[in-house]
Amino acid sequence: KLQFLYLIASSTPPPRHSSLAAMSARALTLLALAACGAAAKAPASFLVEFDTDVKGDGKFVVNVTTAWAPNGAQHFYDLVNDGFYDEAAFTRVVPNFVVQFWIAGEPAENEKWAQAIQDDPVTKSNVKGTMTYAATGAPNSRTTQIFVNTVNNGFLDDQGFAPFAEVVKGDGPGAGGGDHEPYPGSSGGIDQQAYTQKGKAWLRENYPLRTL
């Protein structure tokens, strides 16, 4: 489960924390956004805290650097402020590679944000702790699917995967020893199509041990 607790505009990134491990779901954005509903431009740098039910502290903070991947950073900013990841679950865990999440707990949110965004050039390597959008391999195919590199995955750079953020405090997903794996032994993870269409009620019934 993914739970954004706060979003803070920041001009300077915080000191980088030495460890990486967990995540959760329900958004409380503390940025004062225009009440008129107009799209807000993402700051040059901003923080998002995740509070998860992975055993241990379950919290970590990522710093988004918009210049690394402007389209991806803006999209993430918009998704967080819309509450897309509220009560969203970890959907796929591949040990010594990545942890992924990208399906909203509400089917209407998945439909609303199905439109893909334009690609960004890769300006930051996929090192351990960076956050990146997944893609199909086709041009301009990124939507809401995000992964956190749990090891150094620099080989993804040449494949066009452009990081837009990095874990700067707490344990990022992956250090929990696979405790948040929704379907142990399967790198495919949760049934993506069913979860997308049926939402969190279906998820709770079919994956009672899933983590958010």
Side-chain angles (χ1 to χ4, degrees):
K1 120 184 160 185
L2 301 172
Q3 188 168 6
F4 291 99
L5 294 186
Y6 62 79
L7 177 64
I8 302 177
S10 173
S11 58
T12 57
R16 182 169 178 78
H17 193 278
S18 59
S19 62
L20 274 187
M23 208 154 66
S24 159
R26 170 178 148 230
L28 228 156
T29 60
L30 303 184
L31 278 180
L33 299 178
C36 64
K41 184 176 180 180
S45 178
F46 60 94
L47 305 176
V48 177
E49 181 183 72
F50 292 75
D51 183 18
T52 84
D53 62 5
V54 176
K55 69 182 182 181
D57 180 35
K59 293 183 181 180
F60 70 95
V61 177
V62 299
N63 184 70
V64 179
T65 301
T66 300
W68 287 357
N71 295 325
Q74 180 66 57
H75 192 53
F76 182 67
Y77 183 83
D78 295 340
L79 287 165
V80 171
N81 281 294
D82 193 52
F84 180 87
Y85 295 109
D86 293 5
E87 297 188 70
F90 288 106
T91 46
R92 181 170 177 251
V93 178
V94 184
N96 300 311
F97 184 37
V98 298
V99 172
Q100 290 179 286
F101 58 97
W102 68 92
I103 300 173
E106 299 295 337
E109 281 290 293
N110 294 312
E111 184 175 356
K112 176 180 178 180
W113 292 96
Q115 182 66 42
I117 63 172
Q118 294 291 305
D119 288 336
D120 285 301
V122 178
T123 63
K124 170 73 174 177
S125 183
N126 284 271
V127 297
K128 182 178 179 179
T130 51
M131 182 178 284
T132 308
Y133 280 97
T136 65
N140 306 316
S141 60
R142 298 178 300 170
T143 54
T144 60
Q145 181 174 168
I146 290 172
F147 64 86
V148 176
N149 290 292
T150 59
V151 296
N152 292 330
N153 292 318
F155 69 93
L156 295 175
D157 301 350
D158 291 339
Q159 297 179 36
F161 293 98
F164 63 90
E166 63 181 338
V167 176
V168 292
K169 182 179 180 181
D171 291 330
D179 295 326
H180 46 300
E181 169 59 71
Y183 190 29
S186 170
S187 63
I190 286 172
D191 183 330
Q192 301 169 26
Q193 183 174 3
Y195 180 26
T196 300
Q197 296 175 348
K198 300 177 181 179
K200 58 189 178 184
W202 173 90
L203 182 74
R204 292 191 185 104
E205 180 180 353
N206 289 273
Y207 294 89
L209 300 180
R210 84 284 175 268
T211 50
L212 308 178

PDB file of all heavy atoms in Angstrom, residues 40-68:
ATOM      1  N   ALA A  40      -1.096  23.032 -11.548  1.00  0.00           N
ATOM      2  CA  ALA A  40       0.026  23.733 -10.924  1.00  0.00           C
ATOM      3  C   ALA A  40       1.332  23.205 -11.485  1.00  0.00           C
ATOM      4  O   ALA A  40       1.477  22.010 -11.736  1.00  0.00           O
ATOM      5  CB  ALA A  40      -0.028  23.530  -9.408  1.00  0.00           C
ATOM      6  N   LYS A  41       2.286  24.094 -11.677  1.00  0.00           N
ATOM      7  CA  LYS A  41       3.586  23.685 -12.185  1.00  0.00           C
ATOM      8  C   LYS A  41       4.414  23.101 -11.061  1.00  0.00           C
ATOM      9  O   LYS A  41       4.476  23.642  -9.956  1.00  0.00           O
ATOM     10  CB  LYS A  41       4.305  24.890 -12.797  1.00  0.00           C
ATOM     11  CG  LYS A  41       5.634  24.517 -13.448  1.00  0.00           C
ATOM     12  CD  LYS A  41       6.263  25.723 -14.117  1.00  0.00           C
ATOM     13  CE  LYS A  41       7.590  25.346 -14.777  1.00  0.00           C
ATOM     14  NZ  LYS A  41       8.218  26.513 -15.441  1.00  0.00           N
ATOM     15  N   ALA A  42       5.061  21.985 -11.327  1.00  0.00           N
ATOM     16  CA  ALA A  42       5.893  21.340 -10.316  1.00  0.00           C
ATOM     17  C   ALA A  42       7.071  22.237  -9.960  1.00  0.00           C
ATOM     18  O   ALA A  42       7.674  22.861 -10.838  1.00  0.00           O
ATOM     19  CB  ALA A  42       6.408  20.001 -10.837  1.00  0.00           C
ATOM     20  N   PRO A  43       7.430  22.318  -8.663  1.00  0.00           N
ATOM     21  CA  PRO A  43       8.615  23.085  -8.259  1.00  0.00           C
ATOM     22  C   PRO A  43       9.876  22.453  -8.839  1.00  0.00           C
ATOM     23  O   PRO A  43       9.861  21.313  -9.319  1.00  0.00           O
ATOM     24  CB  PRO A  43       8.603  22.961  -6.725  1.00  0.00           C
ATOM     25  CG  PRO A  43       7.216  22.526  -6.372  1.00  0.00           C
ATOM     26  CD  PRO A  43       6.739  21.711  -7.520  1.00  0.00           C
ATOM     27  N   ALA A  44      10.965  23.176  -8.785  1.00  0.00           N
ATOM     28  CA  ALA A  44      12.240  22.645  -9.277  1.00  0.00           C
ATOM     29  C   ALA A  44      12.651  21.407  -8.489  1.00  0.00           C
ATOM     30  O   ALA A  44      13.284  20.485  -9.027  1.00  0.00           O
ATOM     31  CB  ALA A  44      13.323  23.716  -9.180  1.00  0.00           C
ATOM     32  N   SER A  45      12.298  21.386  -7.217  1.00  0.00           N
ATOM     33  CA  SER A  45      12.599  20.244  -6.358  1.00  0.00           C
ATOM     34  C   SER A  45      11.514  20.156  -5.293  1.00  0.00           C
ATOM     35  O   SER A  45      11.078  21.184  -4.769  1.00  0.00           O
ATOM     36  CB  SER A  45      13.974  20.429  -5.704  1.00  0.00           C
ATOM     37  OG  SER A  45      14.282  19.358  -4.834  1.00  0.00           O
ATOM     38  N   PHE A  46      11.035  18.957  -5.003  1.00  0.00           N
ATOM     39  CA  PHE A  46      10.038  18.802  -3.950  1.00  0.00           C
ATOM     40  C   PHE A  46      10.146  17.412  -3.330  1.00  0.00           C
ATOM     41  O   PHE A  46      10.694  16.487  -3.923  1.00  0.00           O
ATOM     42  CB  PHE A  46       8.612  19.069  -4.459  1.00  0.00           C
ATOM     43  CG  PHE A  46       8.132  18.170  -5.570  1.00  0.00           C
ATOM     44  CD1 PHE A  46       7.399  17.027  -5.302  1.00  0.00           C
ATOM     45  CD2 PHE A  46       8.389  18.492  -6.897  1.00  0.00           C
ATOM     46  CE1 PHE A  46       6.920  16.212  -6.330  1.00  0.00           C
ATOM     47  CE2 PHE A  46       7.923  17.689  -7.934  1.00  0.00           C
ATOM     48  CZ  PHE A  46       7.186  16.540  -7.641  1.00  0.00           C
ATOM     49  N   LEU A  47       9.638  17.305  -2.104  1.00  0.00           N
ATOM     50  CA  LEU A  47       9.725  16.074  -1.330  1.00  0.00           C
ATOM     51  C   LEU A  47       8.368  15.402  -1.218  1.00  0.00           C
ATOM     52  O   LEU A  47       7.350  16.074  -1.077  1.00  0.00           O
ATOM     53  CB  LEU A  47      10.227  16.363   0.088  1.00  0.00           C
ATOM     54  CG  LEU A  47      11.553  17.112   0.227  1.00  0.00           C
ATOM     55  CD1 LEU A  47      11.827  17.393   1.696  1.00  0.00           C
ATOM     56  CD2 LEU A  47      12.685  16.314  -0.386  1.00  0.00           C
ATOM     57  N   VAL A  48       8.358  14.088  -1.253  1.00  0.00           N
ATOM     58  CA  VAL A  48       7.142  13.321  -1.004  1.00  0.00           C
ATOM     59  C   VAL A  48       7.484  12.232   0.000  1.00  0.00           C
ATOM     60  O   VAL A  48       8.442  11.480  -0.188  1.00  0.00           O
ATOM     61  CB  VAL A  48       6.588  12.676  -2.294  1.00  0.00           C
ATOM     62  CG1 VAL A  48       5.368  11.815  -1.973  1.00  0.00           C
ATOM     63  CG2 VAL A  48       6.227  13.744  -3.310  1.00  0.00           C
ATOM     64  N   GLU A  49       6.712  12.167   1.079  1.00  0.00           N
ATOM     65  CA  GLU A  49       6.932  11.120   2.087  1.00  0.00           C
ATOM     66  C   GLU A  49       5.945   9.976   1.874  1.00  0.00           C
ATOM     67  O   GLU A  49       4.754  10.185   1.689  1.00  0.00           O
ATOM     68  CB  GLU A  49       6.747  11.666   3.501  1.00  0.00           C
ATOM     69  CG  GLU A  49       7.000  10.601   4.572  1.00  0.00           C
ATOM     70  CD  GLU A  49       6.748  11.107   5.973  1.00  0.00           C
ATOM     71  OE1 GLU A  49       5.561  11.299   6.331  1.00  0.00           O
ATOM     72  OE2 GLU A  49       7.732  11.347   6.693  1.00  0.00           O
ATOM     73  N   PHE A  50       6.455   8.768   1.905  1.00  0.00           N
ATOM     74  CA  PHE A  50       5.646   7.559   1.817  1.00  0.00           C
ATOM     75  C   PHE A  50       5.572   6.926   3.201  1.00  0.00           C
ATOM     76  O   PHE A  50       6.594   6.775   3.861  1.00  0.00           O
ATOM     77  CB  PHE A  50       6.293   6.541   0.871  1.00  0.00           C
ATOM     78  CG  PHE A  50       6.305   6.947  -0.581  1.00  0.00           C
ATOM     79  CD1 PHE A  50       7.186   7.904  -1.051  1.00  0.00           C
ATOM     80  CD2 PHE A  50       5.445   6.343  -1.484  1.00  0.00           C
ATOM     81  CE1 PHE A  50       7.222   8.260  -2.387  1.00  0.00           C
ATOM     82  CE2 PHE A  50       5.464   6.692  -2.827  1.00  0.00           C
ATOM     83  CZ  PHE A  50       6.352   7.647  -3.280  1.00  0.00           C
ATOM     84  N   ASP A  51       4.371   6.544   3.606  1.00  0.00           N
ATOM     85  CA  ASP A  51       4.185   5.846   4.876  1.00  0.00           C
ATOM     86  C   ASP A  51       3.561   4.497   4.560  1.00  0.00           C
ATOM     87  O   ASP A  51       2.448   4.446   4.040  1.00  0.00           O
ATOM     88  CB  ASP A  51       3.281   6.661   5.798  1.00  0.00           C
ATOM     89  CG  ASP A  51       3.119   6.023   7.164  1.00  0.00           C
ATOM     90  OD1 ASP A  51       3.945   5.171   7.522  1.00  0.00           O
ATOM     91  OD2 ASP A  51       2.158   6.370   7.863  1.00  0.00           O
ATOM     92  N   THR A  52       4.248   3.412   4.843  1.00  0.00           N
ATOM     93  CA  THR A  52       3.790   2.099   4.402  1.00  0.00           C
ATOM     94  C   THR A  52       3.539   1.153   5.554  1.00  0.00           C
ATOM     95  O   THR A  52       3.932   1.410   6.679  1.00  0.00           O
ATOM     96  CB  THR A  52       4.829   1.462   3.460  1.00  0.00           C
ATOM     97  OG1 THR A  52       5.829   0.818   4.246  1.00  0.00           O
ATOM     98  CG2 THR A  52       5.483   2.477   2.560  1.00  0.00           C
ATOM     99  N   ASP A  53       2.891   0.020   5.245  1.00  0.00           N
ATOM    100  CA  ASP A  53       2.662  -0.978   6.280  1.00  0.00           C
ATOM    101  C   ASP A  53       3.660  -2.132   6.190  1.00  0.00           C
ATOM    102  O   ASP A  53       3.455  -3.190   6.777  1.00  0.00           O
ATOM    103  CB  ASP A  53       1.228  -1.487   6.264  1.00  0.00           C
ATOM    104  CG  ASP A  53       0.838  -2.175   4.963  1.00  0.00           C
ATOM    105  OD1 ASP A  53       1.709  -2.350   4.089  1.00  0.00           O
ATOM    106  OD2 ASP A  53      -0.341  -2.531   4.819  1.00  0.00           O
ATOM    107  N   VAL A  54       4.746  -1.929   5.461  1.00  0.00           N
ATOM    108  CA  VAL A  54       5.836  -2.901   5.472  1.00  0.00           C
ATOM    109  C   VAL A  54       6.430  -2.889   6.873  1.00  0.00           C
ATOM    110  O   VAL A  54       6.607  -1.828   7.467  1.00  0.00           O
ATOM    111  CB  VAL A  54       6.913  -2.548   4.429  1.00  0.00           C
ATOM    112  CG1 VAL A  54       8.097  -3.519   4.530  1.00  0.00           C
ATOM    113  CG2 VAL A  54       6.314  -2.577   3.039  1.00  0.00           C
ATOM    114  N   LYS A  55       6.713  -4.059   7.425  1.00  0.00           N
ATOM    115  CA  LYS A  55       7.168  -4.097   8.808  1.00  0.00           C
ATOM    116  C   LYS A  55       8.468  -3.307   8.980  1.00  0.00           C
ATOM    117  O   LYS A  55       9.295  -3.222   8.090  1.00  0.00           O
ATOM    118  CB  LYS A  55       7.339  -5.538   9.295  1.00  0.00           C
ATOM    119  CG  LYS A  55       8.469  -6.334   8.677  1.00  0.00           C
ATOM    120  CD  LYS A  55       8.459  -7.745   9.250  1.00  0.00           C
ATOM    121  CE  LYS A  55       9.608  -8.578   8.683  1.00  0.00           C
ATOM    122  NZ  LYS A  55       9.597  -9.949   9.211  1.00  0.00           N
ATOM    123  N   GLY A  56       8.637  -2.749  10.169  1.00  0.00           N
ATOM    124  CA  GLY A  56       9.721  -1.812  10.422  1.00  0.00           C
ATOM    125  C   GLY A  56       9.116  -0.415  10.465  1.00  0.00           C
ATOM    126  O   GLY A  56       7.920  -0.239  10.705  1.00  0.00           O
ATOM    127  N   ASP A  57       9.926   0.589  10.207  1.00  0.00           N
ATOM    128  CA  ASP A  57       9.423   1.957  10.237  1.00  0.00           C
ATOM    129  C   ASP A  57       8.408   2.195   9.133  1.00  0.00           C
ATOM    130  O   ASP A  57       7.403   2.857   9.313  1.00  0.00           O
ATOM    131  CB  ASP A  57      10.599   2.933  10.125  1.00  0.00           C
ATOM    132  CG  ASP A  57      10.138   4.383  10.145  1.00  0.00           C
ATOM    133  OD1 ASP A  57       9.162   4.676  10.854  1.00  0.00           O
ATOM    134  OD2 ASP A  57      10.736   5.217   9.463  1.00  0.00           O
ATOM    135  N   GLY A  58       8.668   1.636   7.954  1.00  0.00           N
ATOM    136  CA  GLY A  58       7.702   1.750   6.871  1.00  0.00           C
ATOM    137  C   GLY A  58       7.595   3.108   6.227  1.00  0.00           C
ATOM    138  O   GLY A  58       6.674   3.359   5.457  1.00  0.00           O
ATOM    139  N   LYS A  59       8.495   4.018   6.541  1.00  0.00           N
ATOM    140  CA  LYS A  59       8.433   5.352   5.946  1.00  0.00           C
ATOM    141  C   LYS A  59       9.723   5.673   5.196  1.00  0.00           C
ATOM    142  O   LYS A  59      10.797   5.253   5.603  1.00  0.00           O
ATOM    143  CB  LYS A  59       8.213   6.419   7.020  1.00  0.00           C
ATOM    144  CG  LYS A  59       6.866   6.354   7.709  1.00  0.00           C
ATOM    145  CD  LYS A  59       6.719   7.494   8.702  1.00  0.00           C
ATOM    146  CE  LYS A  59       5.374   7.429   9.415  1.00  0.00           C
ATOM    147  NZ  LYS A  59       5.205   8.541  10.382  1.00  0.00           N
ATOM    148  N   PHE A  60       9.566   6.420   4.119  1.00  0.00           N
ATOM    149  CA  PHE A  60      10.736   6.965   3.439  1.00  0.00           C
ATOM    150  C   PHE A  60      10.330   8.210   2.673  1.00  0.00           C
ATOM    151  O   PHE A  60       9.150   8.453   2.430  1.00  0.00           O
ATOM    152  CB  PHE A  60      11.404   5.930   2.519  1.00  0.00           C
ATOM    153  CG  PHE A  60      10.620   5.562   1.294  1.00  0.00           C
ATOM    154  CD1 PHE A  60      10.854   6.201   0.087  1.00  0.00           C
ATOM    155  CD2 PHE A  60       9.664   4.556   1.338  1.00  0.00           C
ATOM    156  CE1 PHE A  60      10.148   5.859  -1.059  1.00  0.00           C
ATOM    157  CE2 PHE A  60       8.952   4.199   0.201  1.00  0.00           C
ATOM    158  CZ  PHE A  60       9.193   4.854  -0.998  1.00  0.00           C
ATOM    159  N   VAL A  61      11.308   9.025   2.334  1.00  0.00           N
ATOM    160  CA  VAL A  61      11.073  10.283   1.626  1.00  0.00           C
ATOM    161  C   VAL A  61      11.860  10.274   0.328  1.00  0.00           C
ATOM    162  O   VAL A  61      13.029   9.872   0.300  1.00  0.00           O
ATOM    163  CB  VAL A  61      11.503  11.494   2.482  1.00  0.00           C
ATOM    164  CG1 VAL A  61      11.330  12.804   1.704  1.00  0.00           C
ATOM    165  CG2 VAL A  61      10.706  11.541   3.782  1.00  0.00           C
ATOM    166  N   VAL A  62      11.209  10.718  -0.749  1.00  0.00           N
ATOM    167  CA  VAL A  62      11.919  10.879  -2.013  1.00  0.00           C
ATOM    168  C   VAL A  62      12.007  12.359  -2.348  1.00  0.00           C
ATOM    169  O   VAL A  62      11.093  13.136  -2.025  1.00  0.00           O
ATOM    170  CB  VAL A  62      11.246  10.121  -3.184  1.00  0.00           C
ATOM    171  CG1 VAL A  62      11.218   8.628  -2.904  1.00  0.00           C
ATOM    172  CG2 VAL A  62       9.853  10.639  -3.474  1.00  0.00           C
ATOM    173  N   ASN A  63      13.102  12.742  -2.950  1.00  0.00           N
ATOM    174  CA  ASN A  63      13.263  14.097  -3.461  1.00  0.00           C
ATOM    175  C   ASN A  63      13.142  14.046  -4.983  1.00  0.00           C
ATOM    176  O   ASN A  63      13.868  13.308  -5.646  1.00  0.00           O
ATOM    177  CB  ASN A  63      14.616  14.679  -3.080  1.00  0.00           C
ATOM    178  CG  ASN A  63      14.745  16.131  -3.534  1.00  0.00           C
ATOM    179  OD1 ASN A  63      14.093  17.016  -3.001  1.00  0.00           O
ATOM    180  ND2 ASN A  63      15.580  16.370  -4.538  1.00  0.00           N
ATOM    181  N   VAL A  64      12.202  14.795  -5.505  1.00  0.00           N
ATOM    182  CA  VAL A  64      12.000  14.870  -6.950  1.00  0.00           C
ATOM    183  C   VAL A  64      12.779  16.065  -7.486  1.00  0.00           C
ATOM    184  O   VAL A  64      12.628  17.183  -6.989  1.00  0.00           O
ATOM    185  CB  VAL A  64      10.511  15.020  -7.293  1.00  0.00           C
ATOM    186  CG1 VAL A  64      10.325  15.115  -8.808  1.00  0.00           C
ATOM    187  CG2 VAL A  64       9.707  13.852  -6.725  1.00  0.00           C
ATOM    188  N   THR A  65      13.612  15.819  -8.490  1.00  0.00           N
ATOM    189  CA  THR A  65      14.367  16.888  -9.148  1.00  0.00           C
ATOM    190  C   THR A  65      13.795  17.045 -10.547  1.00  0.00           C
ATOM    191  O   THR A  65      14.044  16.212 -11.430  1.00  0.00           O
ATOM    192  CB  THR A  65      15.867  16.546  -9.208  1.00  0.00           C
ATOM    193  OG1 THR A  65      16.360  16.352  -7.872  1.00  0.00           O
ATOM    194  CG2 THR A  65      16.647  17.672  -9.873  1.00  0.00           C
ATOM    195  N   THR A  66      13.033  18.073 -10.738  1.00  0.00           N
ATOM    196  CA  THR A  66      12.284  18.233 -11.986  1.00  0.00           C
ATOM    197  C   THR A  66      13.188  18.271 -13.214  1.00  0.00           C
ATOM    198  O   THR A  66      12.834  17.743 -14.281  1.00  0.00           O
ATOM    199  CB  THR A  66      11.419  19.500 -11.914  1.00  0.00           C
ATOM    200  OG1 THR A  66      10.505  19.363 -10.807  1.00  0.00           O
ATOM    201  CG2 THR A  66      10.622  19.708 -13.184  1.00  0.00           C
ATOM    202  N   ALA A  67      14.379  18.850 -13.083  1.00  0.00           N
ATOM    203  CA  ALA A  67      15.288  18.960 -14.234  1.00  0.00           C
ATOM    204  C   ALA A  67      15.763  17.604 -14.734  1.00  0.00           C
ATOM    205  O   ALA A  67      16.151  17.482 -15.898  1.00  0.00           O
ATOM    206  CB  ALA A  67      16.492  19.826 -13.864  1.00  0.00           C
ATOM    207  N   TRP A  68      15.752  16.580 -13.880  1.00  0.00           N
ATOM    208  CA  TRP A  68      16.207  15.254 -14.327  1.00  0.00           C
ATOM    209  C   TRP A  68      15.298  14.710 -15.427  1.00  0.00           C
ATOM    210  O   TRP A  68      15.777  14.097 -16.378  1.00  0.00           O
ATOM    211  CB  TRP A  68      16.205  14.268 -13.164  1.00  0.00           C
ATOM    212  CG  TRP A  68      17.285  14.457 -12.168  1.00  0.00           C
ATOM    213  CD1 TRP A  68      18.300  15.366 -12.204  1.00  0.00           C
ATOM    214  CD2 TRP A  68      17.469  13.701 -10.959  1.00  0.00           C
ATOM    215  NE1 TRP A  68      19.096  15.238 -11.104  1.00  0.00           N
ATOM    216  CE2 TRP A  68      18.606  14.224 -10.327  1.00  0.00           C
ATOM    217  CE3 TRP A  68      16.771  12.662 -10.359  1.00  0.00           C
ATOM    218  CZ2 TRP A  68      19.080  13.707  -9.109  1.00  0.00           C
ATOM    219  CZ3 TRP A  68      17.229  12.157  -9.150  1.00  0.00           C
ATOM    220  CH2 TRP A  68      18.377  12.676  -8.542  1.00  0.00           C
TER     221      TRP A  68
END
